[in-house]
Amino acid sequence: MTSPLLKNAATGVLSLEAYAPGMPLEELQRRLGIADAIKLASNENPLGPSPAVKAAIADSVAGGNLALYPDGGGFRLKKAIGAFRGIAPERVTLGNGSNDIIELLGRVFLGPGRAALFSQHAFAVYPIITQAQGARAVVVPARAADDAQPLGHDMPAFAAALKANPDVSLVFIANPNNPTGTWLSPAEIEAFIRQVPAHVVVALDLAYDEYMEPALRSPSREWLEQYPNLVLFHTFSKAYGLAGLRVGYSLSSPELADLLNRVRQPFNNNSLALLAAEAALGDPAHVARSVELNNRERGRLTATLRGMGLTVLPSQANFIAVGFGRDAAPINQALMQRGVIVRPVASYQMPQFLRFSIGTEAENDRLVAALKEILAS
Ligand SMILES: *Cc1c(COP(=O)(O)O)cnc(C)c1O
């Protein structure tokens, strides 16, 4: 007997599987009674947010403004982001995390009869919003495992798929991509954008942009002037350490920003999140410290794991995809037993891989020690 509730649920939703987030620390504690577990599963900043963020939140709570609705237009934060990026605030759209931006894009540009184009092994939220909107997914096969960017985005194949599927209205590119960590050069991205017709939106997900080598970062301001169908989006969840507060934003033409704004919840950022993000932008030294720690530890962890005979995909992000050459699920279980939460990526068609977020030196050492024990047994 199927439930009568299913009769009226949207078609796309019926066959949809909910996004499975990294396991929260408390859950491992509840399930296995492990008190000192560490979480290297969701690409959070191991240093946490800037002290300026904590001070701003404490001041606001003490000031007693929580009874009032937040500024639904996000005036101050948009102005700060505009100044930081050197672009006009009317090009900025705020999201409740950048996941919210992805959803707004889907609501505006996807529906029955239209399609979203993205890579195999790309971020899971793209197929979810596509299906929820009743649109078709055009999944571009990833690059080969022995490519310089193994399992990465194949931009010539994107261009060919776009030509072959005239119903595509929205293209997602993640740079670097999650969960592979692979990346594209600005030249590769721009060569693709130039081939995209003006009525097709290119959404460039830059969640890990801060961790990239400067020469690899996308020149947002120049591109925005040139391509009105381009939307770039950023998050405060990763390098800024605000994942718990949910703030992201997009940069686009004012016309595209206006479209997103029409379907945005009027108060999609709460007051604490708005002022925390503003304070975070004001402390670039904290971001620089976070990136420096990440990139140093990413290099060290990569070398150590490769030394143990494991496959580590090249990464410009704050995580690495590690291949075991066999089903990784038992290794994930064994890590959990030892109080280390990492991210299985079988749902990304990578069942022999696990994704490790880069932690502090001590956290990474603990991960390596646990792995050595597991692989030796
Ligand atoms: C983490 C991540 C985001 C950001 O998510 P938020 O909703 O901003 O926390 C966006 N895109 C990718 C590819 C990510 O990995």
Side-chain angles (χ1 to χ4, degrees), residues 19 42-43 95-102 122-126 174-179 205-208 233-238 242-243 246-249 319 348 355:
Y19 179 83
S42 301
N43 306 339
N96 190 262
S98 58
N99 273 278
D100 192 22
I101 299 290
I102 298 170
F123 188 41
V125 178
Y126 313 152
N175 197 46
N177 181 48
N178 173 16
D205 185 341
L206 300 173
Y208 303 96
F233 53 99
H234 291 273
T235 181
F236 284 94
S237 299
K238 309 286 158 62
L242 299 186
R246 316 303 305 124
V247 197
Y249 63 93
F319 58 83
Y348 286 91
R355 193 192 67 197

Side-chain angles (χ1 to χ4, degrees), residues 211-233:
Y211 298 104
M212 298 189 92
E213 279 168 39
L216 291 172
R217 288 187 206 142
S218 299
S220 318
R221 193 164 31 154
E222 290 85 336
W223 284 359
L224 286 173
E225 299 287 339
Q226 258 174 296
Y227 306 107
N229 57 333
L230 174 66
V231 50
L232 309 103
F233 53 99

Side-chain angles (χ1 to χ4, degrees), residues 1 24 30-31 69 78 86 89 133 175 180 203 207 211 226 235 237 267 341 344 364 370 374:
M1 262 282 289
R30 263 197 318 271
R31 280 170 33 169
Y69 277 99
K78 280 192 196 173
Q133 289 296 117
N175 197 46
T180 56
Y211 298 104
Q226 258 174 296
T235 181
S237 299
F267 303 106
I341 307 176
N364 301 331
I374 293 163

